[in-house]
Amino acid sequence: MTTLEHTAADFAHPFDDARAQLRDAVTILGYDDGMYELLARPRRELTVAVPLHRDSGELELLIGHRVQHNVSRGPAKGGLRYSLDVTLDEVRALAMWMTWKCALLDVPYGGAKGGIRIDPRQYSCAELERITRRYTSEISPLIGPDHDIPAPDVGTDEQTMAWMMDTYSVQKGHTVLGVATGKPVSLGGSLGRATSTSRGVVHIALAALRSRGIKPEGATAAVQGFGKVGRHAALFLEAASVRVVAVSDEYGAVSADSGLDITSLAGHVDATGSVVGFADADPIGNEDLLSTEVDLLVPAAVEGVIHAGNAAQIKATVVVEGANGPTTPEADRLLNDAGTLVVPDILANAGGVIVSYFEWVQANQSYWWGVDQVEARLAERMLTAWEQVCAHAEKLRRPLRAAATCLAVERVAHAGRLRGLYP
């Protein structure tokens, strides 16, 4: 097996990676071990059994988790994912990253995350509804518009959030629109929420390219992942005149030196379920996409895909993390040593939580904004954070990830100190 043939699972230890990033930030900030321990451990964790009657009549037991990492700056906030890769440690890591993301973007939330170990493609819509409603019922003591607000993530969507909102509302006896975000617009969702993570990624990607003296018009890009984030990121990059030359999903990858027609590729995926077999492109291996010689690489799939075994093969000038935790700490060091600009996930993919915050604000006020207002405010938040992180990186003489994590950790620690300890 060559280094590029290893799977992400061989290298992905997200909670270890998250704690290593925290340890580096705590060291730079000069905090003691007590502060590290306080921030390294989740505030609350809940693991629940989710029994399911399959459509066939069989009984199946699933396991779900909800983790609240920190609530010093406000209610917990974080997605719900349905995936066979869900573990408690993965959920812990994602909740921690969400804490830093909210603090970095000055969103008044703490970090949370949830997940059920399941392949949603193997269950009917009716089964997924029963799973979601039972899971929501089991975790209902932890969630609520003032406590913990779930949102869609891998394997979940706006329908999932509608079921969550309805289940929680039935328990309360009245409609509670603010209990979840990423809902359908007709049920209190926000315009612009569905594409917000992708828009945020592209705002940051274009700024990052310009910071390296690369004009977006005519720049080349490769996008790993063609799901919620990668698909629209590729479309928005194409709209910005970036030439997207390679795209992948879990089944394979395709490339075209002259640039892929992303709209046509999206139509092919809708018809077939994969980028594989797209007529106007050449097939390549998933590992080959990461090593494509491009100006911009957007890993927008899962954790740990760029690791010590393949970091040396990355040829992109700029890496913008559309996924959570796609780069391991060792790979991060190797890329930085090679002069690659790595824009960390807690900045790059924060567009989703920003517009989730906007949705929560709108639901609590029962007053909804137009899409232009949502997208203008999203762009302002993302680019302000970009400028702050760049300035802090220059001040500290550190890479962007260290600077972003230090800014976020400092804000969370400061909030905790101001609040004090009870009792």
Side-chain angles (χ1 to χ4, degrees), residues 91-158:
V91 176
R92 287 166 170 160
L94 293 166
M96 184 184 294
W97 284 323
M98 182 60 77
T99 297
W100 312 144
K101 194 178 299 183
C102 292
L104 185 65
L105 275 295
D106 198 23
V107 172
Y109 290 140
K113 206 73 176 187
I116 301 177
R117 190 176 180 85
I118 180 179
D119 180 354
R121 295 167 298 185
Q122 303 304 313
Y123 294 80
S124 70
C125 182
E127 289 170 334
L128 290 172
E129 179 176 358
R130 294 197 290 273
I131 291 167
T132 301
R133 290 186 181 277
R134 183 57 182 258
Y135 171 78
T136 303
S137 179
E138 294 290 344
I139 69 165
S140 61
L142 262 64
I143 63 173
D146 298 318
H147 301 93
D148 182 351
I149 307 105
D153 199 87
V154 174
T156 59
D157 55 21
E158 63 178 24

Side-chain angles (χ1 to χ4, degrees), residues 124-357:
S124 70
C125 182
E127 289 170 334
L128 290 172
E129 179 176 358
R130 294 197 290 273
I131 291 167
T132 301
R133 290 186 181 277
R134 183 57 182 258
Y135 171 78
T136 303
S137 179
E138 294 290 344
I139 69 165
S140 61
L142 262 64
I143 63 173
D146 298 318
H147 301 93
D148 182 351
I149 307 105
D153 199 87
V154 174
T156 59
D157 55 21
E158 63 178 24
Q159 178 62 75
T160 314
M161 296 303 107
W163 291 328
M164 290 197 80
M165 185 274 290
D166 181 70
T167 304
Y168 183 85
S169 297
V170 168
Q171 290 185 343
K172 294 298 180 183
H174 61 94
T175 299
V176 186
L177 295 178
V179 68
T181 59
K183 304 182 300 298
V185 172
S186 58
L187 288 177
S190 176
L191 296 170
R193 172 60 182 86
T195 60
S196 56
T197 304
S198 305
R199 283 197 182 278
V201 166
V202 173
H203 284 312
I204 297 299
L206 299 180
L209 287 171
R210 293 187 184 102
S211 77
R212 284 299 176 99
I214 301 170
K215 292 181 179 180
E217 299 80 7
T220 55
V223 178
Q224 188 223 20
F226 205 66
K228 284 188 181 72
V229 178
R231 176 177 179 139
H232 285 101
L235 285 164
F236 295 149
L237 286 169
E238 182 182 55
S241 299
V242 175
R243 182 158 45 98
V244 181
V245 299
V247 168
S248 70
D249 59 22
E250 61 183 305
Y251 305 107
V254 293
S255 71
D257 290 342
S258 59
L260 295 163
D261 183 332
I262 303 300
T263 301
S264 296
L265 177 60
H268 171 79
V269 171
D270 289 341
T272 68
S274 172
V275 301
V276 174
F278 182 53
D280 298 326
D282 298 318
I284 59 173
N286 278 356
E287 66 278 2
D288 296 324
L289 178 134
L290 293 172
S291 60
T292 302
E293 192 163 347
V294 288
D295 298 308
L296 170 68
L297 172 63
V298 180
V302 294
E303 308 96 78
V305 296
I306 301 175
H307 45 72
N310 65 11
Q313 281 75 45
I314 303 296
K315 301 182 181 69
T317 304
V318 176
V319 176
V320 176
E321 295 183 334
N324 291 311
T327 310
T328 67
E330 180 58 29
D332 211 30
R333 286 189 284 272
L334 293 170
L335 291 172
N336 287 322
D337 290 346
T340 304
L341 179 64
V342 181
V343 185
D345 47 5
I346 62 171
L347 170 60
N349 67 30
V353 74
I354 291 172
V355 180
S356 277
Y357 168 55

Side-chain angles (χ1 to χ4, degrees), residues 25 28-29 31 104 384-411:
I28 294 168
L29 291 166
Y31 295 159
L104 185 65
T384 296
W386 162 257
E387 292 168 2
Q388 290 174 344
V389 170
C390 288
H392 206 56
E394 187 174 347
K395 176 183 175 181
L396 295 177
R397 297 186 179 180
R398 301 273 183 170
L400 292 182
R401 188 184 312 279
T405 307
C406 283
L407 268 177
V409 169
E410 188 173 27
R411 290 172 180 174

Side-chain angles (χ1 to χ4, degrees), residues 15 19 22 33-45 67-71 92 95-96 99-100:
F15 195 41
R19 287 186 293 189
L22 172 62
D33 286 343
M35 180 60 75
Y36 169 78
E37 292 296 336
L38 185 65
L39 296 176
R41 297 181 183 277
R43 178 73 173 270
R44 298 185 186 92
E45 298 179 348
V67 172
Q68 295 173 353
H69 172 254
N70 188 281
V71 291
R92 287 166 170 160
M96 184 184 294
T99 297
W100 312 144

